[in-house]
Amino acid sequence: MPPVLTDRLRLLPIGPDLAGDLWLAHQDDDVARWYAGRWSRDEAERAAAAMGRAWHDDGVHKWLAYARDSGELVGRGGLSYAEVDGRRRLEVGWAVRSPHQGRGYATEIGRAGLAHAFGELAATEVVAFTERHNHRSRAVMRRLAMTYVGEIRRPGLLPGRPGVHDDAPFALYAAGPQPTP
């Protein structure tokens, strides 16, 4: 898949060739906290290889996001398939490195993911989910006109308790095809 360009970002499909930048994204404290800590280089290489396979097999997975003006790594995000409520569903997500937070990049990545889902993939629904206490991510979901549809349980973080817990509450949001302006 060729790069996707947004107003401020260049989005590149993650594969083995981008494992180093994927590792770098997951060294950021604000990214690592939502992914149970920093990734090792081996974890990043395995994840990048799996993402590359998903791009090949499913035609979709996450991008690395680079600032178009400087080339700096902003974060990662996009689409992937996830098991949600016992069904394989198309999910949109984002993770933005600390120096770039609060500038609308997560929303920009999310919009690009939704456009790809409802355009090229002709999806009828996309979901997003995050730990119930991740207020910043939930705000992005609302900015993307996604609707809160309930709570799901999955491995995740609990406020004030270290580590990943098997039955953490997650807020689930959904969106259908967006009208073209």
Side-chain angles (χ1 to χ4, degrees):
M1 177 177 174
V4 171
L5 300 178
T6 68
D7 288 343
R8 300 176 298 161
L9 298 171
R10 191 169 125 257
L11 305 172
L12 297 178
I14 299 175
D17 58 324
L18 294 177
D21 281 352
L22 182 60
W23 173 81
L24 181 61
H26 283 268
Q27 298 310 294
D28 183 272
D29 287 338
D30 285 335
V31 172
R33 72 183 277 212
W34 297 107
Y35 292 90
R38 291 188 167 110
W39 286 5
S40 69
R41 288 202 181 263
D42 281 347
E43 287 171 311
E45 287 173 8
R46 284 193 304 275
M51 291 177 190
R53 283 190 301 277
W55 275 108
H56 179 267
D57 296 344
D58 297 330
V60 64
H61 213 287
K62 301 292 194 255
W63 297 299
L64 280 176
Y66 299 89
R68 287 179 67 179
D69 60 355
S70 67
E72 187 175 357
L73 177 63
V74 171
R76 69 166 191 80
L79 300 165
S80 59
Y81 283 102
E83 187 78 18
V84 179
D85 278 346
R87 293 187 304 158
R88 185 174 191 248
R89 298 169 84 176
L90 195 56
E91 179 255 342
V92 65
W94 44 82
V96 176
R97 295 174 64 217
S98 305
H100 304 288
Q101 291 182 359
R103 299 183 192 175
Y105 286 120
T107 304
E108 197 166 329
I109 292 167
R111 277 198 186 108
L114 291 175
H116 184 69
F118 297 126
E120 289 85 355
L121 300 177
T124 58
E125 179 194 56
V126 175
V127 298
F129 52 86
T130 189
E131 282 91 345
R132 188 169 56 193
H133 63 284
N134 188 343
H135 301 291
R136 291 184 78 153
S137 192
R138 292 181 73 176
V140 172
M141 294 171 196
R142 289 189 297 272
R143 279 193 291 279
L144 293 171
M146 299 186 85
T147 303
Y148 176 76
V149 294
E151 190 172 282
I152 59 174
R153 299 278 203 188
R154 59 188 301 122
L157 307 176
L158 295 172
R161 294 181 55 195
V164 174
H165 301 270
D166 289 337
D167 195 32
F170 279 68
L172 176 65
Y173 288 73
Q178 305 293 309
T180 311

Short mmCIF file of all heavy atoms in Angstrom, two decimals, residues 105-130:
data_model
loop_
_atom_site.label_atom_id
_atom_site.label_comp_id
_atom_site.label_asym_id
_atom_site.label_seq_id
_atom_site.Cartn_x
_atom_site.Cartn_y
_atom_site.Cartn_z
N TYR A 105 -3.15 15.37 16.29
CA TYR A 105 -2.60 14.30 15.44
C TYR A 105 -3.38 12.99 15.60
O TYR A 105 -3.58 12.27 14.62
CB TYR A 105 -1.13 14.06 15.74
CG TYR A 105 -0.22 15.13 15.19
CD1 TYR A 105 0.60 15.87 16.03
CD2 TYR A 105 -0.16 15.39 13.82
CE1 TYR A 105 1.45 16.85 15.53
CE2 TYR A 105 0.69 16.37 13.31
CZ TYR A 105 1.48 17.09 14.18
OH TYR A 105 2.32 18.05 13.68
N ALA A 106 -3.80 12.66 16.81
CA ALA A 106 -4.57 11.42 17.00
C ALA A 106 -5.86 11.48 16.19
O ALA A 106 -6.23 10.50 15.52
CB ALA A 106 -4.86 11.19 18.48
N THR A 107 -6.53 12.61 16.22
CA THR A 107 -7.76 12.78 15.44
C THR A 107 -7.46 12.68 13.94
O THR A 107 -8.22 12.05 13.19
CB THR A 107 -8.42 14.12 15.77
OG1 THR A 107 -8.65 14.18 17.19
CG2 THR A 107 -9.74 14.29 15.03
N GLU A 108 -6.36 13.25 13.51
CA GLU A 108 -5.98 13.19 12.09
C GLU A 108 -5.70 11.75 11.65
O GLU A 108 -6.13 11.31 10.58
CB GLU A 108 -4.75 14.08 11.87
CG GLU A 108 -4.49 14.43 10.43
CD GLU A 108 -3.50 15.57 10.28
OE1 GLU A 108 -3.44 16.46 11.16
OE2 GLU A 108 -2.79 15.58 9.25
N ILE A 109 -5.01 10.98 12.50
CA ILE A 109 -4.75 9.57 12.20
C ILE A 109 -6.07 8.80 12.17
O ILE A 109 -6.31 7.99 11.28
CB ILE A 109 -3.78 8.97 13.24
CG1 ILE A 109 -2.38 9.60 13.10
CG2 ILE A 109 -3.71 7.45 13.10
CD1 ILE A 109 -1.45 9.30 14.27
N GLY A 110 -6.93 9.06 13.16
CA GLY A 110 -8.22 8.39 13.22
C GLY A 110 -9.08 8.69 12.00
O GLY A 110 -9.72 7.78 11.44
N ARG A 111 -9.11 9.94 11.57
CA ARG A 111 -9.89 10.31 10.37
C ARG A 111 -9.37 9.58 9.14
O ARG A 111 -10.16 9.12 8.31
CB ARG A 111 -9.85 11.81 10.15
CG ARG A 111 -10.85 12.54 10.96
CD ARG A 111 -11.11 13.96 10.46
NE ARG A 111 -11.98 14.60 11.41
CZ ARG A 111 -11.61 15.55 12.26
NH1 ARG A 111 -10.38 16.02 12.24
NH2 ARG A 111 -12.47 16.05 13.11
N ALA A 112 -8.06 9.50 9.02
CA ALA A 112 -7.49 8.78 7.87
C ALA A 112 -7.87 7.31 7.91
O ALA A 112 -8.20 6.71 6.88
CB ALA A 112 -5.97 8.94 7.85
N GLY A 113 -7.86 6.71 9.11
CA GLY A 113 -8.27 5.32 9.25
C GLY A 113 -9.72 5.11 8.87
O GLY A 113 -10.07 4.18 8.13
N LEU A 114 -10.60 5.99 9.36
CA LEU A 114 -12.02 5.87 9.02
C LEU A 114 -12.26 6.08 7.53
O LEU A 114 -13.06 5.35 6.92
CB LEU A 114 -12.84 6.86 9.85
CG LEU A 114 -12.93 6.58 11.35
CD1 LEU A 114 -13.67 7.70 12.07
CD2 LEU A 114 -13.57 5.24 11.63
N ALA A 115 -11.57 7.04 6.94
CA ALA A 115 -11.72 7.27 5.49
C ALA A 115 -11.30 6.03 4.71
O ALA A 115 -11.97 5.64 3.74
CB ALA A 115 -10.90 8.49 5.07
N HIS A 116 -10.20 5.40 5.11
CA HIS A 116 -9.74 4.19 4.44
C HIS A 116 -10.75 3.06 4.63
O HIS A 116 -11.08 2.33 3.69
CB HIS A 116 -8.37 3.79 4.98
CG HIS A 116 -7.76 2.61 4.29
ND1 HIS A 116 -7.32 2.64 2.99
CD2 HIS A 116 -7.55 1.35 4.72
CE1 HIS A 116 -6.86 1.45 2.65
NE2 HIS A 116 -6.99 0.65 3.69
N ALA A 117 -11.28 2.93 5.84
CA ALA A 117 -12.23 1.85 6.14
C ALA A 117 -13.51 1.99 5.32
O ALA A 117 -13.97 1.03 4.69
CB ALA A 117 -12.58 1.84 7.63
N PHE A 118 -14.09 3.19 5.32
CA PHE A 118 -15.37 3.38 4.65
C PHE A 118 -15.23 3.64 3.16
O PHE A 118 -16.18 3.45 2.41
CB PHE A 118 -16.16 4.49 5.34
CG PHE A 118 -16.49 4.18 6.77
CD1 PHE A 118 -16.16 5.05 7.78
CD2 PHE A 118 -17.13 2.99 7.11
CE1 PHE A 118 -16.46 4.76 9.10
CE2 PHE A 118 -17.43 2.68 8.42
CZ PHE A 118 -17.10 3.57 9.43
N GLY A 119 -14.02 4.02 2.72
CA GLY A 119 -13.77 4.22 1.31
C GLY A 119 -13.25 2.97 0.65
O GLY A 119 -14.02 2.16 0.10
N GLU A 120 -11.96 2.74 0.73
CA GLU A 120 -11.31 1.63 0.04
C GLU A 120 -11.81 0.26 0.50
O GLU A 120 -11.93 -0.66 -0.30
CB GLU A 120 -9.78 1.68 0.20
CG GLU A 120 -9.12 2.81 -0.58
CD GLU A 120 -9.14 4.13 0.19
OE1 GLU A 120 -9.74 4.21 1.28
OE2 GLU A 120 -8.57 5.10 -0.34
N LEU A 121 -12.10 0.11 1.80
CA LEU A 121 -12.50 -1.20 2.31
C LEU A 121 -14.02 -1.42 2.31
O LEU A 121 -14.48 -2.53 2.55
CB LEU A 121 -11.97 -1.40 3.74
CG LEU A 121 -10.46 -1.34 3.90
CD1 LEU A 121 -10.08 -1.47 5.37
CD2 LEU A 121 -9.76 -2.40 3.07
N ALA A 122 -14.79 -0.37 2.05
CA ALA A 122 -16.26 -0.43 2.03
C ALA A 122 -16.82 -1.05 3.32
O ALA A 122 -17.78 -1.80 3.30
CB ALA A 122 -16.76 -1.18 0.80
N ALA A 123 -16.20 -0.72 4.45
CA ALA A 123 -16.66 -1.23 5.75
C ALA A 123 -18.03 -0.63 6.09
O ALA A 123 -18.37 0.48 5.66
CB ALA A 123 -15.65 -0.87 6.83
N THR A 124 -18.79 -1.36 6.85
CA THR A 124 -20.08 -0.86 7.32
C THR A 124 -20.02 -0.38 8.76
O THR A 124 -20.93 0.29 9.23
CB THR A 124 -21.18 -1.95 7.20
OG1 THR A 124 -20.77 -3.08 7.97
CG2 THR A 124 -21.38 -2.33 5.74
N GLU A 125 -18.94 -0.75 9.47
CA GLU A 125 -18.77 -0.33 10.85
C GLU A 125 -17.29 -0.38 11.20
O GLU A 125 -16.56 -1.24 10.71
CB GLU A 125 -19.52 -1.27 11.80
CG GLU A 125 -19.35 -0.89 13.26
CD GLU A 125 -19.81 -1.98 14.21
OE1 GLU A 125 -19.31 -3.13 14.11
OE2 GLU A 125 -20.65 -1.67 15.05
N VAL A 126 -16.88 0.54 12.05
CA VAL A 126 -15.54 0.53 12.64
C VAL A 126 -15.71 0.79 14.13
O VAL A 126 -16.52 1.64 14.52
CB VAL A 126 -14.62 1.62 12.01
CG1 VAL A 126 -13.28 1.67 12.72
CG2 VAL A 126 -14.44 1.37 10.53
N VAL A 127 -14.98 0.06 14.94
CA VAL A 127 -15.04 0.27 16.38
C VAL A 127 -13.71 0.85 16.87
O VAL A 127 -12.69 0.77 16.19
CB VAL A 127 -15.36 -1.03 17.15
CG1 VAL A 127 -16.73 -1.57 16.75
CG2 VAL A 127 -14.28 -2.07 16.99
N ALA A 128 -13.76 1.42 18.04
CA ALA A 128 -12.58 1.86 18.77
C ALA A 128 -12.84 1.56 20.24
O ALA A 128 -13.98 1.64 20.70
CB ALA A 128 -12.33 3.35 18.56
N PHE A 129 -11.80 1.21 20.96
CA PHE A 129 -11.97 0.93 22.38
C PHE A 129 -10.71 1.33 23.11
O PHE A 129 -9.61 1.35 22.56
CB PHE A 129 -12.33 -0.53 22.65
CG PHE A 129 -11.41 -1.53 22.01
CD1 PHE A 129 -10.25 -1.95 22.65
CD2 PHE A 129 -11.71 -2.07 20.76
CE1 PHE A 129 -9.40 -2.89 22.07
CE2 PHE A 129 -10.87 -3.01 20.18
CZ PHE A 129 -9.72 -3.42 20.83
N THR A 130 -10.88 1.67 24.37
CA THR A 130 -9.77 2.03 25.24
C THR A 130 -10.17 1.79 26.68
O THR A 130 -11.36 1.70 26.99
CB THR A 130 -9.36 3.51 25.04
OG1 THR A 130 -8.13 3.75 25.74
CG2 THR A 130 -10.41 4.47 25.54
#
